[in-house]
Amino acid sequence: MLQGLFILLLCQLLGELLMMAINAPIPGPVAGMLILLVGLMILGRVPDGLRLTATGLISHLSLLFIPAGVGLMVFADQIKQQWWIILVALLVSTFLTLIVAAWVMERFKSKEGQDHGVN
Amino acid sequence: MELTKFWVYFSAQPLFWIIVTLAVFMLAKKLNEWAKGSAFLHPVLVAMAIIITLLMLTGTEYDAYFSGAQFIHFLLGPATVALAIPLFDHLARIRRLFFPVLLACLSGSVTAVITVVAIGHVLGGSTEVLLSLAPKSVTSPIAIGIAEQIGGYPSLAAGLALITGVMGCLLAPLVFRLFNVKRQASQGFALGLAAHGFGTAYAMQLSTLTGAFAGLAMGLTGVLSSILVPFVVRLMGL
């Protein structure tokens, strides 16, 4: 548990430092995730303590969005003025994104003619 | 009188707003169970609505709330790093389907950013709102990071990503029916890409294979978008 938290925070710190050093546009925690992934690939397995902490954090992931989400209240004015723009943009874009992603996957699957995913 | 004093003291304590956030979230989860898991009553949206109402009724500033809630918010960092574990678990599958998965992820992520920014721009949205809309298909912790990076509002971006997640779950069955998408891998991948964590949770209900592909899409989209979104947004002149 403690070991897991330590590894996660350490990777995040390394990620933040690395991105600061090379001035890249990737958020520190994402870089930390990649660093951890590379580490796990080298190690070849997930240490028990790390899996325990990670599973705990991920299973309550949605709770962690709430403090930032409540921050929407600060933007009440902008949302009031532009709510229909936001709504239309999100709806149409999400619809198109679903179509494109599913279409590309379907195309490749049928071309490959493999068994994966055909159920 | 005593009660007012009590309130003045405790509402200024970080502990108070942490407890409120946890309690409201647990309540919202119960409500969602009663509503049989309807996406409209997603626990995060319900909890946000209740807390915002509470803060407005008590005249509490967001900053005061966040001074306590930041301790929950802080955990987003390590939780994002932790997403490396499911990615590692699916590594064999990623390697096998490397090319289609990468291409689907690339085209889907580009579609997501370009369409949302273009539509928002045509309809006359302000630059800050457009920049906060840009990372909408990315899971919230990463969306927050991207918005900070490109000059949008992190909180707004997080909220819009949550709303996108709900929309994705509502639209997906329609898209799958209209375009005859039947394969579980394709359904899952589309859900995880367009609707990140919400889509993944929904896909898990369909089948574990669908869920695994959704988780994979969510992780890859997060990584790819943090490189792509700043780049595309700059190309679009924002």
Side-chain angles (χ1 to χ4, degrees):
Chain A
M1 177 72 200
L2 208 53
Q3 177 209 22
L5 195 61
F6 176 74
I7 295 174
L8 292 176
L9 290 174
L10 188 69
C11 287
Q12 187 183 347
L13 181 69
L14 289 176
E16 309 261 11
L17 286 176
L18 184 69
M19 289 307 113
M20 224 193 276
I22 62 173
N23 211 359
I26 304 177
V30 182
M33 174 176 83
L34 293 176
I35 292 172
L36 180 59
L37 184 63
V38 171
L40 291 174
M41 285 164 76
I42 294 170
L43 189 66
R45 64 181 182 88
V46 182
D48 291 342
L50 178 61
R51 185 177 288 280
L52 193 72
T53 312
T55 312
L57 276 174
I58 293 173
S59 62
H60 298 296
L61 196 57
S62 53
L63 165 71
L64 311 183
F65 301 146
I66 294 175
V70 171
L72 274 180
M73 68 185 276
V74 178
F75 303 100
D77 287 338
Q78 265 133 327
I79 294 171
K80 235 180 257 165
Q81 287 162 13
Q82 307 186 35
W83 69 270
W84 66 275
I85 300 177
I86 294 173
L87 199 71
V88 172
L90 286 181
L91 261 178
V92 177
S93 171
T94 304
F95 191 70
L96 293 175
T97 306
L98 279 167
I99 295 173
V100 170
W103 184 78
V104 174
M105 283 295 281
E106 287 276 286
R107 235 185 102 72
F108 264 93
K109 287 301 183 70
S110 32
K111 252 191 184 169
E112 276 188 343
Q114 297 288 321
D115 55 339
H116 336 290
V118 185
N119 291 277
Chain B
M1 197 55 212
E2 277 299 303
L3 204 67
T4 324
K5 254 189 184 160
F6 200 68
W7 166 253
V8 168
Y9 178 73
F10 276 103
S11 63
Q13 298 286 316
L15 180 64
F16 181 76
W17 294 114
I18 296 176
I19 290 178
V20 167
T21 305
L22 285 175
V24 169
F25 183 62
M26 289 192 291
L27 175 75
K29 277 179 102 159
K30 269 274 170 286
L31 279 174
N32 187 256
E33 266 170 42
W34 289 330
K36 302 206 165 58
S38 155
F40 283 110
L41 279 180
H42 194 283
V44 174
L45 289 186
V46 173
M48 273 165 53
I50 296 177
I51 294 172
I52 290 176
T53 312
L54 268 176
L55 293 177
M56 297 215 294
L57 285 179
T58 56
T60 310
E61 295 279 330
Y62 176 64
D63 287 345
Y65 166 75
F66 197 74
S67 71
Q70 63 173 319
F71 297 102
I72 296 174
H73 178 76
F74 174 78
L75 291 174
L76 264 183
T80 307
V81 179
L83 291 174
I85 280 101
L87 267 179
F88 176 78
D89 290 339
H90 298 311
L91 211 57
R93 214 190 288 267
I94 301 177
R95 284 213 180 110
R96 190 149 43 92
L97 289 170
F98 188 71
F99 193 56
V101 156
L102 201 68
L103 201 74
C105 190
L106 195 69
S107 42
S109 308
V110 171
T111 308
V113 198
I114 292 184
T115 52
V116 82
V117 174
I119 294 167
H121 184 68
V122 168
L123 297 177
S126 67
T127 308
E128 290 82 4
V129 167
L130 295 182
L131 288 174
S132 310
L133 278 169
K136 58 107 181 132
S137 281
V138 184
T139 184
S140 291
I142 301 180
I144 289 171
I146 296 175
E148 266 169 9
Q149 199 69 248
I150 61 178
Y153 301 120
S155 295
L156 185 57
L160 296 177
L162 297 178
I163 294 168
T164 304
V166 176
M167 282 182 180
C169 297
L170 295 174
L171 289 172
L174 179 73
V175 170
F176 297 157
R177 214 171 29 233
L178 279 179
F179 295 88
N180 200 27
V181 180
K182 288 216 178 88
R183 289 189 177 89
Q184 295 180 29
S186 311
Q187 290 194 350
F189 203 83
L191 272 166
L193 198 153
H196 52 92
F198 288 55
T200 305
Y202 178 78
M204 279 289 180
Q205 290 171 3
L206 298 178
S207 80
T208 50
L209 181 68
T210 315
F213 268 91
L216 169 63
M218 174 176 77
L220 282 180
T221 304
V223 175
L224 203 62
S225 295
S226 47
I227 304 166
L228 261 177
V229 173
F231 184 68
V232 170
V233 160
R234 222 173 296 150
L235 272 186
M236 294 177 87
L238 288 171

